[in-house]
Amino acid sequence: MTISRRDLFKAGLAAGAALSVPSLLRAQTAVAADKTVRMALENLSVFDPVATTAGISQTHALAIYDTLFSADSQSQPHPQMVGNWGVSDDKKTYTFELRDGLGWHDGTPVTAADCVASIRRWAQVGSGGQILMSRASDISKKDDRTFVISLKEPLGALPSILAFEGPFIMREKDAGLPPTEQVTANIGSGPFKFNHDLAKPGASFTYDRNEKYVPRKEPPDGMAGGKTVYVDRVVWDIGVLADPQTSVAALQTGEIDFLYRPPIDLLPLIESDPNLKLEALNRAGVDMTLRMNCLQAPFNSVKARQALLHLVDQEAVLRAAYGNPQYFKPVTSMFGNTAAVTNDENTGWFKPGGDPEKAKQLFKEAGYAGEKIVILQATDWAEQSNASQVVAAKLREIGVNAELAPSDWGGLVSRRSKRDSVDNGGWSIFITDQSEATRANVFTDISLAMNGEKAWYGWPKNDEYEALRAKWLTLETLDERKALAREMQKLWWDYVPEVPLGQNIVPSAYSKTLTGLIPATLPLMWNMQKA
Amino acid sequence: MGVYILRRLVSTIAVMAMVGIFIFLLLRLAPGDPAAVIAGPTATEQMVANIREELGLNEPLPVQFVHWASDVLRGNFGASVFTGVPVLQLLSQRLEPTISLSVLTMILSVTVGVSFGVLAAWRSGGFVDRALATFSAIGYSVPVFVIGYILIYFFAIQTRWLPVQGYTSINQGVAPWFLHLILPTVTLSVPYIAFIARITRGSMLEVLSEDYMRTAAAKGASPFAMLFHHALKNAGVPILTVIGISFAYMIGGVVLTETVFNVPGIGRLVVDAIKNRDYPIIQTVLVLISGLYVLINLLVDLAYTLIDPRIRY
C-alpha cells in the first residue's frame, strides 16, 4: 500500500481535529463559574463547631453562623450580632441587644432565646464557656431581642471570651441538643448558606451567598467588621488535597482558585507562576510544641523537663519539619511571637543549637538512670514525624534511652490520653502544633493551663501559676495583661510544662483573579471578589 | 450447574461471615479512636470521653459486634460516625465515579491488551513483538501515580486539553463526564494492558503452534479469521482468568488513581474513613468489596463453560 501526500495531509487534518476535540468540549462544558470560587480546604468531617475543636469546623461555622462578638486583627473584641450592649455599675450584669436585620436561613428571625440556648450549649464544653458558667448566676432573655448575663463576680474578659471562643449562634431547637449530639441542620444566620443538595462528604461542600444577610457597617478587620459577600457561591474542594502535586496542578490550570496550605516543597513552583500569588493570610501561623508527661518519670522531675528545654535545637527541628527557613522562626515566649502579650521574661535558656552539656547535667541532677523515654511519632504527619525523629536523635546523643513509638495520628491521639508509665502503655513525649493566635487567650487555650488532672495532655500542675491565670479574667486593659503575662511566663519556664519547637508560617496560594482576602487565623469567605 | 452455583453461594455466605468478623476485630483492635478524631486536636479528655459514650464505644466488643451484625442482617449498614450520613447514601454518591472508572478501564485494558497480545504473538520475535514486550515491562513496573503525573503534565498543564482532576456525573453530560475520566482511565489501564497483553501473547503462542491452526492456514483462512476466530477462542480461558483477577484487584489501583486525579469514588471514601476510624463505612465497604471479589470469581468460573464447552460443572 502506498500513501500519497494528499492522504497524509488528510490524516494530519483529521488528527488535528481529533486532538482539538477535548479542549473544544471542555470549553463548551465549562461551568459558568464567574462568581464561583473554588477553595481547596482540608476535610470537613464534623459540622458542629461545639462538638469539635477542629479548625476546619470553625471555618465552616464562620461561614454559616454568626457570633455575638468577633475579634479584630489586633485580638480586640467587637460586637458582631450584638447592637447595643452595656454593663451595670457593679460590673456584674451585662445586657445585650441584638442588632436589626438578623434572620435565620430558614426565614425566621433570630431571637434572644436562640442566643441564650446557644451560650448554654457551648458553655458545657468550651473552656471559656465553662469559666463563664462558673461565674454566672443567670443567663436569660429579657425580650425577643435582649438577653442578660448576670454574674456572681465581675468578669472583665467576658466580651473577649465571647469574641475569641464564643458560641456560634444556632436556632434554639438546634442549640437544645446535648453538645455530644451533633447538629446536622446547618442552618445559621451567617453570610453564607450551606447547600445540602450539593454536599458530598469527603469530596466537596458548597456554600451559597445569603442574600438576606445584613452586614455590619464597619470595614472588615480580622474576624470583626462587615461580612459582605461579593461572590455567588464558594465550593470547598476537599478531595483535591489528597495529592499535593495534583492540588498545585489544579491551581495552575485554574480548576481551583485557592489553596490554603500549599505543600512547602512546591512553593517555588507557585512562585514562578505569574498567574498565582502567595500570601501569608494566617500571619501568626502555627507553633510546634513538645509536651511531656509530667506525671511519670523522668519528666515528673522539673530538672528533666528543664533538661529538655535546654537540649532542643529549634533550628534543627524546624529545618527537619518544614525545610525552608523562609517560613519558620524560633519561639521563646509562651505566648508565641506575635501576641500583644509576647515578652522575653525568663527566656535565658534559649541558645541557638541548644545546650546539650547543660541538658546532660540536668538529666543527671534529675536522677535519670537510663529509663526508657517513649516519643509518640505520627507517621502520617510528615512534619511531626520528622520533628520526633530529631528530638529522639538529640536525646540519644546525650545518652538518653529514647524510643520512637510510630503510629498514625489517630493512634497517637488515643495513646496520649494514657497517664500510665511507659511500661504500662503510657508515653513520655509527644509533639503537636496549634494556631499561634490562640496562645494569647490565657482563659480559653487549654494548653496554657497548669491545673494538674484538669490540664491538657501532660497534666502539669502549678497552683501559683493557676492563681495568676485566674486573675487574668478580671483584667480589662492590655497594659495590665502585659504585666501579668510576664509574671506568668516567669513561672511557666521555671516549671516547663512544654518545650517550644518553633513557629511556622505557610503562605496561602491563590489565583490573582481573587482579591479582597482578609488576613485571619482561619480562611474567611466574605469580602473576597473574583475578577 | 445449578448445584454448583448453589454450593458456591453457600460458601460465599460463610466467607462473608468470616470476613465480617475479621474486619470488625481488626478495626477495633487497631489503635485509634473516632471519638478523639471527632473531638479535634485540642479537645479535653472529658470531651473525648463524652463522645465515646455517645457512640457506644465503651461497650464490650462482643456487644458492639452483635449490634453491628444484627443491623447488617436487617440491611442497616449504619451511618458515618462523623457526618451522621447513612453509609449506603455515602456509597451511592461514590459508586458512580468508581464504576465509571473501573468499567472504562476494563474496556480499554481488555481491548488494547488483548489486541497487543495477539499482535505480539502473530509477529513473535519481530520488531512489533519486542516493542510490545518493552511496553509491557515498563507499563507493568512503573507505579500508577508516576504515569498519572506524567499524563497530567503533558495533557493538562502543558496543553490544557484535559482537566487535571475532578469528576462530573454523567447526568451533567456525557462530554464532561468522559473528559474527566480520560486521564484516570488511561493511567489505570497501563498496567492492566501490559499484564493482559503478556498473558494473551503467551496463551496465543501455544495455540498458534497447534495442528488445527496449520490446517486452518492450509484451508486458506485469513490471518484475521485465524487469530480472532480460531486461536483467540481457544486461548481464552487463561485470558479470561487474568481479566477476572485484574478486575477484582483493580480496587487497589483505583484508590491510587482516585487520589491522584481527585475522583470522589469508593477508594477515596474508604481511605478517608480509615484515617478517621469511621467504622461503619470501613466495615460496609470492605464487606461489599469482599462480596464483589467472590462474585467476580464465580462469574469467571461460569464463563469458562461458554468459552470451552468441554468444561462442565
Side-chain angles (χ1 to χ4, degrees):
Chain A
M1 185 173 106
T2 55
I3 298 174
S4 68
R5 270 183 297 181
R6 183 171 292 179
D7 288 338
L8 201 61
F9 182 66
K10 279 183 193 167
L13 275 180
L19 287 173
S20 65
V21 164
S23 47
L24 288 172
L25 280 173
R26 203 175 163 199
Q28 287 164 5
T29 55
V31 182
D34 319 354
K35 293 291 182 183
T36 296
V37 175
R38 299 189 74 92
M39 304 174 81
L41 296 176
E42 63 185 280
N43 193 13
L44 172 67
S45 46
V46 181
F47 298 95
D48 186 340
V50 175
T52 183
T53 61
I56 191 67
S57 300
Q58 310 295 311
T59 305
H60 159 81
L62 279 165
I64 66 168
Y65 298 114
D66 218 343
T67 53
L68 297 170
F69 282 77
S70 295
D72 67 15
S73 55
Q74 302 303 308
S75 301
Q76 295 304 304
H78 295 274
Q80 185 53 245
M81 293 174 80
V82 165
N84 296 319
W85 68 285
V87 58
S88 62
D89 291 341
D90 65 357
K91 299 191 175 179
K92 288 186 181 175
T93 305
Y94 284 81
T95 305
F96 302 98
E97 185 186 320
L98 296 174
R99 65 183 170 91
D100 292 332
L102 300 178
W104 297 111
H105 298 159
D106 63 9
T108 57
V110 177
T111 67
D114 298 315
C115 301
V116 170
S118 299
I119 292 172
R120 288 186 179 281
R121 181 169 186 264
W122 153 76
Q124 292 176 60
V125 288
S127 45
Q130 288 172 357
I131 291 167
L132 167 61
M133 292 311 279
S134 69
R135 300 197 175 203
S137 56
D138 185 40
I139 301 173
S140 57
K141 73 166 192 173
K142 193 172 165 189
D143 57 45
D144 271 357
R145 294 183 56 187
T146 313
F147 66 97
V148 175
I149 297 179
S150 303
L151 302 165
K152 290 177 271 191
E153 54 185 306
L155 183 59
L158 180 58
S160 290
I161 290 175
L162 295 174
F164 284 118
E165 197 218 0
F168 290 101
I169 302 302
M170 301 174 177
R171 296 177 304 175
E172 188 178 11
K173 63 178 171 184
D174 296 330
L177 293 172
T180 49
E181 191 177 327
Q182 290 185 43
V183 171
T184 55
N186 294 307
I187 290 179
S189 63
F192 284 90
K193 293 191 285 190
F194 185 78
N195 190 324
H196 284 89
D197 293 337
L198 296 182
K200 295 172 189 159
S204 68
F205 293 106
T206 300
Y207 299 80
D208 296 325
R209 178 172 61 186
N210 175 11
E211 290 175 356
K212 292 183 180 166
Y213 183 77
V214 180
R216 294 189 71 90
K217 303 289 180 221
E218 300 92 334
D221 181 10
M223 308 277 188
K227 299 177 178 177
T228 308
V229 179
Y230 296 104
V231 296
D232 297 329
R233 173 171 282 184
V234 175
V235 179
W236 290 14
D237 198 329
I238 291 159
V240 73
L241 287 181
D243 188 273
Q245 193 92 34
T246 304
S247 63
V248 173
L251 189 67
Q252 286 182 290
T253 57
E255 288 172 41
I256 57 170
D257 305 296
F258 179 92
L259 190 52
Y260 187 52
R261 294 195 68 169
I264 292 170
D265 53 338
L266 295 180
L267 290 181
L269 187 64
I270 298 169
E271 278 167 0
S272 67
D273 191 321
N275 300 315
L276 302 179
K277 187 174 176 182
L278 279 172
E279 183 185 2
L281 293 171
N282 179 0
R283 291 174 182 167
V286 294
D287 285 355
M288 190 175 260
T289 53
L290 180 156
R291 299 283 292 192
M292 294 153 290
N293 187 343
C294 300
L295 301 179
Q296 301 292 339
F299 297 116
N300 55 358
S301 159
V302 66
K303 292 284 185 186
R305 297 197 297 272
Q306 288 170 347
L308 215 50
L309 189 63
H310 285 276
L311 176 69
V312 164
D313 174 2
Q314 293 195 27
E315 166 79 18
V317 174
L318 292 168
R319 192 176 284 278
Y322 302 111
N324 189 340
Q326 194 182 339
Y327 301 110
F328 61 69
K329 281 182 195 168
V331 169
T332 55
S333 175
M334 64 177 282
F335 304 102
N337 286 330
T338 53
V341 291
T342 295
N343 64 80
D344 60 359
E345 181 72 26
N346 196 14
T347 54
W349 49 267
F350 180 74
K351 187 175 170 185
D355 190 346
E357 286 308 312
K358 174 85 174 170
K360 202 171 176 177
Q361 177 204 331
L362 284 165
F363 265 119
K364 196 174 170 186
E365 288 174 23
Y368 176 71
E371 306 96 301
K372 189 163 66 179
I373 287 181
V374 169
I375 303 169
L376 303 183
Q377 179 193 17
T379 51
D380 57 343
W381 177 10
E383 291 87 350
Q384 197 273 2
S385 179
N386 294 348
S388 300
Q389 291 184 60
V390 172
V391 169
K394 290 282 175 190
L395 282 165
R396 286 174 192 144
E397 277 174 22
I398 60 164
V400 173
N401 179 15
E403 181 180 293
L404 289 163
S407 74
D408 65 358
W409 176 250
L412 186 155
V413 167
S414 288
R415 188 166 175 184
R416 74 179 177 182
S417 63
K418 287 183 188 291
R419 293 160 195 249
D420 308 319
S421 65
V422 294
D423 295 334
N424 293 309
W427 56 277
S428 314
I429 288 170
F430 79 91
I431 290 169
T432 187
D433 71 10
Q434 66 177 123
S435 169
E436 187 175 293
T438 69
R439 302 289 291 186
N441 304 332
V442 171
F443 42 82
T444 58
D445 186 338
I446 189 172
S447 70
L448 297 184
M450 285 210 274
N451 48 357
E453 297 286 308
K454 291 181 184 169
W456 206 50
Y457 305 99
W459 310 284
K461 182 167 172 52
N462 186 305
D463 294 339
E464 195 183 349
Y465 170 88
E466 279 301 298
L468 294 182
R469 202 165 74 97
K471 191 175 164 189
W472 187 284
L473 294 167
T474 62
L475 305 182
E476 291 180 6
T477 70
L478 184 58
D479 285 342
E480 289 173 318
R481 286 180 185 157
K482 281 182 176 176
L484 186 63
R486 294 190 79 87
E487 287 184 62
M488 289 173 72
Q489 187 163 298
K490 169 88 177 59
L491 295 174
W492 184 262
W493 292 134
D494 282 346
Y495 183 94
V496 198
E498 64 182 24
V499 174
L501 300 179
Q503 178 195 28
N504 166 235
I505 301 174
V506 176
S508 296
Y510 55 91
S511 161
K512 283 184 177 169
T513 57
L514 276 190
T515 53
L517 294 163
I518 300 171
T521 53
L522 293 168
L524 303 179
M525 287 155 42
W526 57 84
N527 203 55
M528 65 182 173
Q529 298 179 51
K530 189 172 180 184
Chain B
M1 175 77 94
V3 174
Y4 174 75
I5 293 174
L6 195 65
R7 206 169 63 227
R8 287 289 295 265
L9 287 176
V10 170
S11 69
T12 299
I13 291 168
V15 168
M16 297 308 296
M18 296 292 288
V19 165
I21 294 169
F22 181 70
I23 290 167
F24 183 87
L25 288 177
L26 198 67
L27 288 176
R28 295 308 198 281
L29 296 177
D33 181 355
V37 183
I38 288 174
T42 55
T44 60
E45 286 178 81
Q46 188 56 48
M47 204 169 161
V48 176
N50 291 342
I51 296 171
R52 280 186 65 81
E53 182 72 33
E54 179 75 24
L55 296 177
L57 297 172
N58 289 334
E59 291 178 350
L61 274 186
V63 175
Q64 290 186 45
F65 179 75
V66 169
H67 283 162
W68 174 64
S70 59
D71 281 348
V72 167
L73 289 175
R74 288 198 300 270
N76 176 11
F77 289 89
S80 161
V81 296
F82 287 84
T83 59
V85 178
V87 174
L88 290 184
Q89 187 182 328
L90 286 170
L91 280 175
S92 67
Q93 282 180 348
R94 301 301 191 96
L95 213 54
E96 187 197 310
T98 298
I99 288 179
S100 301
L101 179 58
S102 304
V103 169
L104 284 183
T105 299
M106 281 318 292
I107 291 172
L108 186 66
S109 303
V110 172
T111 312
V112 178
V114 170
S115 304
F116 276 9
V118 170
L119 199 62
W122 185 39
R123 293 286 186 229
S124 174
F127 171 76
V128 172
D129 186 23
R130 288 200 301 277
L132 290 174
T134 307
F135 165 79
S136 293
I138 294 172
Y140 198 60
S141 52
V142 175
V144 164
F145 63 89
V146 173
I147 299 167
Y149 291 149
I150 292 170
L151 292 177
I152 286 174
Y153 180 76
F154 284 108
F155 295 101
I157 296 178
Q158 289 298 312
T159 59
R160 306 277 168 121
W161 286 345
L162 295 165
V164 171
Q165 52 86 43
Y167 176 79
T168 304
S169 169
I170 198 164
N171 295 331
Q172 291 173 261
V174 174
W177 169 80
F178 186 64
L179 284 177
H180 279 94
L181 282 170
I182 291 175
L183 291 184
T185 300
V186 172
T187 301
L188 186 55
S189 296
V190 169
Y192 291 110
I193 289 172
F195 189 41
I196 293 170
R198 290 180 73 158
I199 298 297
T200 304
R201 177 186 178 276
S203 190
M204 285 289 287
L205 277 177
E206 270 185 41
V207 174
L208 286 175
S209 62
E210 296 282 342
D211 291 342
Y212 63 83
M213 291 305 299
R214 276 193 292 277
T215 307
K219 288 169 75 177
S222 69
F224 185 86
M226 279 178 63
L227 289 171
F228 289 95
H229 182 68
H230 297 289
L232 187 57
K233 198 170 176 188
N234 285 297
V237 169
I239 297 171
L240 189 67
T241 307
V242 164
I243 291 170
I245 292 171
S246 301
F247 197 74
Y249 274 118
M250 193 175 280
I251 194 71
V254 164
V255 170
L256 267 178
T257 311
E258 286 182 353
T259 301
V260 170
F261 291 98
N262 184 23
V263 178
I266 302 283
R268 289 292 317 289
L269 178 71
V270 78
V271 168
D272 291 342
I274 289 168
K275 279 185 192 165
N276 286 338
R277 305 291 195 279
D278 203 336
Y279 298 142
I281 295 179
I282 308 169
Q283 287 162 179
T284 306
V285 173
L286 294 187
V287 166
L288 292 180
I289 287 174
S290 308
L292 188 67
Y293 191 92
V294 174
L295 183 69
I296 288 172
N297 274 304
L298 174 64
L299 293 177
V300 169
D301 286 351
L302 296 178
Y304 289 162
T305 60
L306 300 176
I307 291 180
D308 188 345
R310 291 169 298 181
I311 297 175
R312 284 278 177 273
Y313 296 110

